[in-house]
Amino acid sequence: EIVLTQSPGTLSLSPGERATLSCRASQSVSSSYLAWYQQKPGQAPRLLIYGASSRATGIPDRFSGSGSGTDFTLTISRLEPEDFAVYYCQQYGLTWTFGQGTKVEIK
Amino acid sequence: QLQLQESGPGLVKPSETLSLTCTVSGGSISSSSYYWGWIRQPPGKGLEWIGSIYYSGSTYYNPSLKSRVTISVDTSKNQFSLKLSSVTAADTAVYYCPAGYDAFDIWGQGTMVTVSS
């Protein structure tokens, strides 16, 4: 079973700043099967990135994904007020697993 | 546009079986374009994948829950279902039914299930 470890646990930033979130896998993940989600309180998760770097429908271009193998990154180029939320990475192999999440909070 | 809606009891007694249904609208559950999944989130915690089913009937389960989980499809009702047996307080969570081919791009709103006597 692939374990995903996200860091940091919490990221304290101001609007307009750049956010860099990390997701590290315990074994190699095909880039086609690495996704990122955003979740706000009381809401279902929303898909942001799939295939490691492809934006889902309607996702602003300030969100970008990169990486391969065991190391993946979600970057938010300039934080908007609505971007403060929890972010999860997810992989699909023969099973699906999620990282434990990174909370992006207002500094 | 595909939409998903979870339904089922909000309260289940310990040792009993939790049963939830996800109704699919705006598309067919027999579509080869989607895996249909169940994911849960305990209060204040992260997301846990429970299992998924493909239109062919192939099922995939979280190894840590596999002995207690059954996911099935009812094509006549355009629904898929989750059964989780021998529940304990640790199974208290919001349960979501998402769909997607690998990433889950469509989600239900979620339903809270509490395990308590």
Side-chain angles (χ1 to χ4, degrees):
Chain A
E1 179 185 350
I2 296 178
V3 176
L4 300 179
T5 302
Q6 293 186 238
S7 61
T10 301
L11 199 51
S12 298
L13 295 168
S14 301
E17 289 193 297
R18 182 184 188 91
T20 303
L21 287 66
S22 174
C23 176
R24 178 161 290 176
S26 59
Q27 54 188 282
S28 185
V29 174
S30 166
S31 294
S32 298
Y33 301 135
L34 195 287
W36 291 91
Y37 299 83
Q38 176 194 67
Q39 188 180 32
K40 297 179 181 179
Q43 296 183 17
R46 176 175 69 146
L47 177 66
L48 299 176
I49 300 288
Y50 64 95
S53 61
S54 297
R55 276 187 298 276
T57 302
I59 302 303
D61 60 7
R62 64 180 181 271
F63 291 93
S64 63
S66 63
S68 64
T70 60
D71 290 294
F72 298 88
T73 300
L74 174 69
T75 301
I76 311 172
S77 60
R78 288 178 58 85
L79 283 164
E80 297 288 341
E82 62 267 28
D83 298 337
F84 291 92
V86 179
Y87 294 83
Y88 296 93
C89 59
Q90 171 241 325
Q91 70 82 31
Y92 162 69
L94 293 178
T95 60
W96 286 252
T97 53
F98 289 90
Q100 82 279 18
T102 290
K103 181 179 182 180
V104 179
E105 65 176 23
I106 299 176
K107 186 174 182 180
Chain B
Q1 183 178 355
L2 198 70
Q3 293 185 313
L4 306 171
Q5 178 67 58
E6 305 89 348
S7 60
L11 182 64
V12 181
K13 289 182 168 56
S15 80
E16 296 189 342
T17 295
L18 178 159
S19 296
L20 295 176
T21 296
C22 184
T23 300
V24 179
S25 58
S28 172
I29 201 164
S30 298
S31 168
S32 60
S33 299
Y34 298 101
Y35 286 86
W36 310 96
W38 287 98
I39 286 167
R40 69 181 183 180
Q41 185 170 38
K45 296 188 177 181
L47 302 169
E48 180 180 34
W49 172 71
I50 300 170
S52 298
I53 189 165
Y54 195 44
Y55 82 104
S56 61
S58 296
T59 50
Y60 308 84
Y61 297 135
N62 185 324
S64 68
L65 298 170
K66 187 175 183 178
S67 63
R68 299 194 291 131
V69 174
T70 302
I71 296 175
S72 60
V73 166
D74 186 337
T75 55
S76 68
K77 295 181 179 179
N78 222 34
Q79 296 175 334
F80 61 105
S81 299
L82 167 70
K83 292 188 185 301
L84 180 66
S85 64
S86 306
V87 297
T88 69
D91 296 309
T92 293
V94 175
Y95 285 75
Y96 296 101
C97 61
Y101 192 71
D102 41 57
F104 292 123
D105 56 348
I106 303 165
W107 291 69
Q109 66 184 23
T111 187
M112 180 69 200
V113 179
T114 301
V115 178
S116 175
S117 56

